[in-house]
Amino acid sequence: MPALHPLPSGAFPRAPAVRQPSASASTGDAVTALGALAAVSVVAALALFAYSRRFRGAADATAALTRIRRALRVGLPLAYVVALVAMAAAGWLGAVDAAAGRLPGGESAVGGAVAVVAGLTAPLVAVVAGYFGAFPTIRDLRAVDVSAAAVAVRLARYAAGMVALLCVVVVGVTLLGDSLSTGVGFFGVVGALLVSVWVGSPWLIRLTQSTRAPTDAERERLDRRCADVGFDPHGVRVIDVADAKQAFAFVRGPPGRRHLFVADYLLTELDEERLRGYLALQAGRARVMHLEARLTVVGGAIALAGGLAAGLVSVPGVGDGVAALGVLAAGAVGLCAGTRLVYRADADAAGRTSREAVEAAIRRFADLNDAPMEWGRLATLRRMEPSLNRRIDRLRDRASRE
């Protein structure tokens, strides 16, 4: 079992004092860094545009979209890392720190947090540029009318909300810096952060996405369907994404304070039976606490592996690097085992409606979102969710045994 221990007093030696760069020097570094960001952004946009363009007019839009989405999952994080490294090499982090230091309160914890957040969020421009490189093809394949401006506004709102959250986290970590130097303090802070995000997730979603109260007709319809499946949410919000043809619903918040979020496009496209089945699926996931299990496995594995890598915890007789890899492997096993929770949620939904209704809801969801019915093992682990075909097969097997 990992042993928790404080770091030795010399673990964080103080850096020697250095002369602060002049305003003109830091400005020059900032300009150079922004030029590097622009270059990486252009390359990311052109690369993803060229790749996605190959699939324009594809006969199988779902397969084409699957490949483009896979490219985005790899390409966008890569664009961020390359942009961050290029900007750091050009002196971006030092320039931001110097600029923040010249502001009122720049030497305080808040000023330091602002510098860190600004330094880490600027490379997101390359991520946005890469996405918009693939956007024209995605829009054509999905046959949606959403404009690039509307997508940009939604991305900006989401980014602003996440930056605000990051500011709060960085300020908190800065103020609790001493407590993070021990294993107990580190895991206590990580645990408190995860619980805070979990409890506050309904408000975070309202901050980062465009939501509204349901109309009287929508509320009456949702109340009836939720009552049918034994689900009584604390609050209901509708997300306006009809122009992007996104059909989904999900539940957030702790037990007793569950909030239901429903896309307006889902309400428009699902008939009563399929809506009942789909809400039963979401209620079932809330009952088996699928999201909480996934958050615990992923957050716990990353935190423990990070603590081992940083020397905050140790396993007697085992190297920290080997132990960290073992923790990540155990996390992958946990994600694989967690897929059983989805089967349980599906069975719960079928018991409250019918197998046919649940299967029809799953198929309609895939059709509306141009989502694949089958995916590989990595996607299964990432989502902690078996493919839609496997879920349907399990429902049919269960029905045949009853």
Side-chain angles (χ1 to χ4, degrees):
M1 180 176 179
L4 304 182
H5 59 81
L7 287 177
S9 58
F12 293 117
R14 296 182 62 86
V18 296
R19 184 167 57 90
Q20 292 296 323
S22 64
S24 59
S26 61
T27 301
D29 289 343
V31 172
T32 304
L34 293 176
L37 174 61
V40 174
S41 300
V42 170
V43 171
L46 291 177
L48 286 168
F49 175 79
Y51 178 79
S52 61
R53 189 177 178 83
R54 299 165 50 198
F55 302 102
R56 278 190 171 178
D60 189 344
T62 298
L65 285 165
T66 298
R67 297 185 67 176
I68 294 173
R69 288 163 178 163
R70 187 181 298 126
L72 291 175
R73 284 194 295 270
V74 175
L76 297 185
L78 180 61
Y80 176 84
V81 172
V82 172
L84 179 61
V85 171
M87 296 180 75
W92 170 250
L93 299 179
V96 170
D97 187 58
R102 290 191 290 269
L103 296 175
E107 301 300 327
S108 66
V110 174
V114 170
V116 170
V117 171
L120 295 180
T121 55
L124 289 174
V125 172
V127 175
V128 175
Y131 175 79
F132 276 106
F135 173 72
T137 302
I138 295 174
R139 181 173 56 187
D140 292 344
L141 289 172
R142 298 217 62 219
V144 296
D145 296 327
V146 62
S147 66
V151 174
V153 169
R154 289 171 187 170
L155 288 176
R157 176 171 180 169
Y158 183 83
M162 297 310 296
V163 167
L165 175 63
L166 182 59
C167 284
V168 173
V169 171
V170 172
V171 169
V173 169
T174 301
L175 296 176
L176 297 172
D178 292 339
S179 64
L180 290 174
S181 63
T182 66
V184 173
F186 174 76
F187 290 113
V189 170
V190 171
L193 176 61
L194 292 177
V195 170
S196 298
V197 172
W198 172 55
V199 172
S201 57
W203 293 272
L204 182 61
I205 291 168
R206 294 180 63 173
L207 175 66
T208 57
Q209 299 191 43
S210 176
T211 68
R212 60 173 174 82
T215 64
D216 292 342
E218 289 170 339
R219 184 176 296 279
E220 182 182 358
R221 185 185 181 201
L222 288 169
D223 286 346
R224 289 200 308 268
R225 299 291 79 84
C226 286
D228 290 343
V229 300
F231 181 49
D232 183 20
H234 180 76
V236 178
R237 300 292 294 183
V238 177
I239 303 178
D240 294 317
V241 287
D243 54 353
K245 292 185 177 180
Q246 295 177 333
F248 58 84
F250 54 84
V251 177
R252 292 293 184 270
R257 303 284 296 185
R258 301 287 196 188
H259 291 249
L260 174 65
F261 293 87
V262 184
D264 53 354
Y265 185 61
L266 184 82
L267 293 175
T268 301
E269 295 297 323
L270 291 192
D271 58 25
E272 297 306 305
E273 189 65 16
R274 288 182 175 86
L275 180 60
R276 182 187 295 110
Y278 192 78
L279 292 178
L281 288 170
Q282 304 314 309
R285 290 203 180 196
R287 291 189 184 96
V288 301
M289 303 189 74
H290 175 267
L291 175 64
E292 291 80 0
R294 184 183 177 194
L295 185 64
T296 300
V297 172
V298 174
I302 293 177
L304 185 53
L308 286 164
L312 296 175
V313 295
S314 63
V315 179
V318 180
D320 290 342
V322 174
L325 291 176
V327 167
L328 294 178
V333 173
L335 289 174
C336 184
T339 60
R340 297 178 179 274
L341 293 176
V342 179
Y343 291 135
R344 288 177 54 189
D346 291 348
D348 178 84
R352 294 174 183 273
T353 55
S354 67
R355 180 191 63 79
E356 293 79 9
V358 171
E359 180 177 338
I362 291 174
R363 292 189 181 279
R364 186 59 175 155
F365 165 82
D367 180 58
L368 291 174
N369 294 283
D370 294 306
M373 295 291 295
E374 193 64 56
W375 52 71
R377 293 182 179 179
L378 287 179
T380 296
L381 290 178
R382 177 172 55 83
R383 304 179 184 192
M384 204 172 88
E385 177 182 346
S387 69
L388 303 183
N389 278 334
R390 291 180 61 188
R391 290 169 59 188
I392 290 175
D393 290 342
R394 180 62 66 93
L395 284 171
R396 290 179 176 179
D397 290 343
R398 182 174 177 272
S400 66
R401 292 193 302 267
E402 293 178 349

